[in-house]
Amino acid sequence: MNRRVPKKIAFIGSSSIYGRGDTELGGFVQRIRFRFEPLNPKNLVYALGIFGENVVSLTQRVSLELSVRRPHLIGLYPGFNDICRIGGAEAQNTVTLDFFRQAMLELLQASNSIAPSFVMTGIPFDEQRTTPYRNSDSYFFRKDAQLYSQVVREVAFNEEVPVLDFESLWCALEIIPLLSEDGLHANPAGHQLLCEQTWDFISRNYL
């Protein structure tokens, strides 16, 4: 099968994209940059991550930031900010599931209109440290994460967008050694594993 090998790859999403929790090399996208850019002088990797990003602002940024960078491949990482319950464990999710489903559809369509795209599910986290998160009034529950990740898979399947399913890849692992002290983000070892898994996915499907 003939396919265009990407030279410019953009990763856009929440704080894991800019490397939250990786105090050594700046995150899994930065680690991919170290592998990919030396292969060709024209290769570029963009890490466009924002702490606290939700699916609505991510959709807006896709149109604004990626249209000017004109990547050949886009990796989307919505993360779990949409599932956050602010104010208590019984509070509503920041974004309702129905709204999230429609927003994910708009996100994937916006991204695919710019370049071939794939979407990543969030990694499992340590609920003992995220209920609440760092002594705040924000709560992240695994049951919510699993539910919203399933919506990501369903919308991606309907739109024929490939899924890099970190949730499934990590579900059989002992995750505590892979997480930073906040329990929500990967540590350097976790980011290295994300790098290996992402590199393998891109190599098999696009390179």
Side-chain angles (χ1 to χ4, degrees):
M1 180 179 66
N2 292 325
R3 60 188 180 192
R4 182 182 183 185
V5 176
K7 288 185 171 59
K8 292 193 293 182
I9 305 176
F11 293 86
I12 187 166
S14 57
S15 51
S16 291
I17 293 298
Y18 78 70
R20 184 82 170 189
D22 186 351
T23 56
E24 296 179 359
L25 292 177
F28 78 97
V29 176
Q30 179 75 352
R31 292 166 185 258
I32 290 171
R33 176 183 288 124
F34 294 152
R35 289 190 177 195
F36 184 66
E37 291 190 350
L39 299 179
N40 188 307
K42 294 183 178 181
N43 284 359
L44 292 171
V45 173
Y46 298 108
L48 306 172
I50 291 181
F51 186 79
E53 181 87 284
N54 61 38
V55 69
V56 174
S57 60
L58 178 55
T59 303
Q60 295 169 343
R61 284 209 300 129
V62 161
S63 299
L64 291 172
E65 297 189 32
L66 296 187
S67 59
V68 296
R69 289 178 171 85
R70 300 168 69 180
H72 305 132
L73 179 65
I74 300 169
L76 303 163
Y77 191 95
F80 288 136
N81 293 303
D82 298 281
I83 74 169
C84 183
R85 296 174 183 261
I86 300 175
E90 301 303 320
Q92 296 296 310
N93 301 110
T94 303
V95 174
T96 67
L97 194 63
D98 286 342
F99 188 94
F100 181 76
R101 185 184 301 274
Q102 179 60 35
M104 277 302 307
L105 175 62
E106 294 174 5
L107 170 63
L108 298 187
Q109 290 177 342
S111 184
N112 254 344
S113 70
I114 297 170
S117 305
F118 65 94
V119 64
M120 297 164 270
T121 58
I123 63 172
F125 49 83
D126 179 13
E127 194 173 88
Q128 291 187 353
R129 287 182 282 174
T130 63
T131 55
Y133 176 68
R134 286 192 161 178
N135 299 316
S136 69
D137 63 349
S138 297
Y139 290 72
F140 295 84
F141 289 98
R142 288 283 296 271
K143 64 179 182 180
D144 292 333
Q146 291 164 359
L147 191 60
Y148 281 60
S149 291
Q150 184 57 31
V151 169
V152 171
R153 296 185 193 98
E154 291 170 0
V155 175
F157 176 81
N158 291 335
E159 293 298 303
E160 299 182 330
V161 171
V163 177
L164 175 48
D165 197 345
F166 290 133
E167 184 186 58
S168 295
L169 290 171
W170 283 45
C171 68
L173 302 177
E174 172 54 54
I175 64 169
I176 300 304
L178 301 172
L179 296 176
S180 66
E181 63 180 15
D182 69 5
L184 189 62
H185 300 91
N187 62 16
H191 275 280
Q192 180 59 33
L193 179 57
L194 291 172
C195 171
E196 298 288 346
Q197 292 169 333
T198 306
W199 181 256
D200 179 66
F201 178 86
I202 291 175
S203 298
R204 285 187 288 105
N205 293 284
Y206 302 103
L207 300 183

